[in-house]
Amino acid sequence: MRNRMIAGNWKMNKTYTEGVILAQGLAKELADGSGDVDVVVCPPAVDLKGVAEVIEQEAAPFALGAQNVYWEEKGAFTGETAPDMLTNVGVRYCIIGHSERRGYFGETDEDVNRKAKALMAHSLIPISCCGEPLEVREAGTHVDFVVDQIKKDTAGLTIEDPSAYVVAYEPIWAIGTGKTATADDAQEVCAAIRATLTEVFGATTADGIRILYGGSAKPENVAGFLDQRDVDGALVGGASLKADSFAAMVRAAM
Ligand code: PGA
């Protein structure tokens, strides 16, 4: 049994003050709770502490996630954030391997794999992103492309508790473009991801790992994705920047 997950990726939006206001708004929207749905918000790093305080003060039914981490413990890595620094301010999840980090900042599958290991060693839950660019989709090799990413991203990982590792399938051509994959497109790749996780970790573990869809997910289309057998939630960019639309997606998942 997999609890659904709705995770908001704020990307590089919301100052500290705006982030606190958004978190307060979301706490109000979700004052009646989120049922069995695991809700995560991933603000920019400088907003994390402020959002953590809102979660605590309002006893809000969502958890805190970061958007990036470095795998070393500490030291001369200017501009980076260590796992310990995240846990210390109340972070429980961390997005890794997002296509924007891969594309703009050169993050490789090897980096994603190291980050996953570092996070899990600190009891932080990776939300590990994968997904194909448009030319791969058009060539029809998207399933092979994503399966290869999953194998590299999970190499040598040990997963004891399947709820402690999350995958997000985000076709790059559907991110922030308004172009959504169809529910069938999402299911096709998410099923292949689960089959690969089964090969790597065995069926019992793979059956418990949440696989999210991401890419122009919004209140109007999220139900169609959630209906799919291997889609367990959504990683939401644009629609997570307003409390009402993000809360509507949580309610759709309840
Ligand atoms: P989007 O972003 O919902 O704005 O397409 C999703 C993501 O990149 O995580």
Side-chain angles (χ1 to χ4, degrees):
M1 174 61 194
R2 304 184 290 267
N3 282 354
R4 284 177 169 167
M5 174 175 289
I6 302 291
N9 174 10
W10 295 4
K11 308 192 178 182
M12 198 174 75
N13 295 292
K14 304 294 174 189
T15 62
Y16 180 91
T17 312
E18 291 165 347
V20 166
I21 291 169
L22 175 54
Q24 285 167 338
L26 188 59
K28 207 167 274 168
E29 286 278 348
L30 297 177
D32 292 334
S34 62
D36 287 337
V37 181
D38 288 338
V39 184
V40 182
V41 296
C42 304
V46 293
D47 299 3
L48 287 170
K49 179 79 174 118
V51 174
E53 283 168 6
V54 173
I55 293 172
E56 198 182 331
Q57 282 157 13
E58 311 286 335
F62 49 88
L64 190 60
Q67 297 177 16
N68 190 23
V69 68
Y70 194 55
W71 55 78
E72 294 288 349
E73 294 288 320
K74 62 163 118 175
F77 303 101
T78 301
E80 295 296 324
T81 309
D84 241 3
M85 297 171 178
L86 298 180
T87 51
N88 191 250
V89 292
V91 170
R92 291 180 44 211
Y93 294 84
C94 183
I95 297 170
I96 54 174
H98 192 279
S99 59
E100 287 149 18
R101 293 222 56 89
R102 292 178 189 257
Y104 298 134
F105 306 104
E107 193 163 314
T108 63
D109 287 311
E110 290 67 32
D111 296 338
V112 176
N113 179 259
R114 280 179 165 172
K115 289 180 179 192
K117 286 173 181 161
L119 289 168
M120 293 174 82
H122 290 268
S123 302
L124 286 156
I125 302 176
I127 300 177
S128 188
C129 303
C130 57
E132 80 284 357
L134 184 60
E135 60 273 19
V136 170
R137 167 65 61 164
E138 284 174 342
T141 51
H142 49 284
V143 169
D144 290 347
F145 183 93
V146 171
V147 163
D148 183 60
Q149 282 185 322
I150 294 288
K151 285 186 177 157
K152 288 176 177 155
D153 296 350
T154 60
L157 270 193
T158 307
I159 301 180
E160 271 153 26
D161 170 6
S163 68
Y165 187 80
V166 179
V167 175
Y169 168 57
E170 301 203 305
I172 299 172
W173 46 273
I175 295 178
T177 57
K179 238 188 196 179
T180 348
T182 64
D184 286 344
D185 290 337
Q187 169 57 23
E188 179 197 26
V189 180
C190 290
I193 292 171
R194 197 169 312 282
T196 309
L197 294 171
T198 302
E199 260 175 56
V200 178
F201 299 109
T204 313
T205 300
D207 283 348
I209 293 177
R210 266 84 59 89
I211 305 175
L212 315 182
Y213 168 76
S216 301
K218 48 184 185 249
E220 297 76 36
N221 63 20
V222 73
F225 292 106
L226 295 171
D227 275 348
Q228 302 302 309
R229 196 190 153 98
D230 289 295
V231 179
D232 306 307
L235 179 56
V236 187
S240 73
L241 297 174
K242 291 212 169 92
D244 55 354
S245 60
F246 190 62
M249 296 178 79
V250 173
R251 282 193 284 271
M254 283 168 68

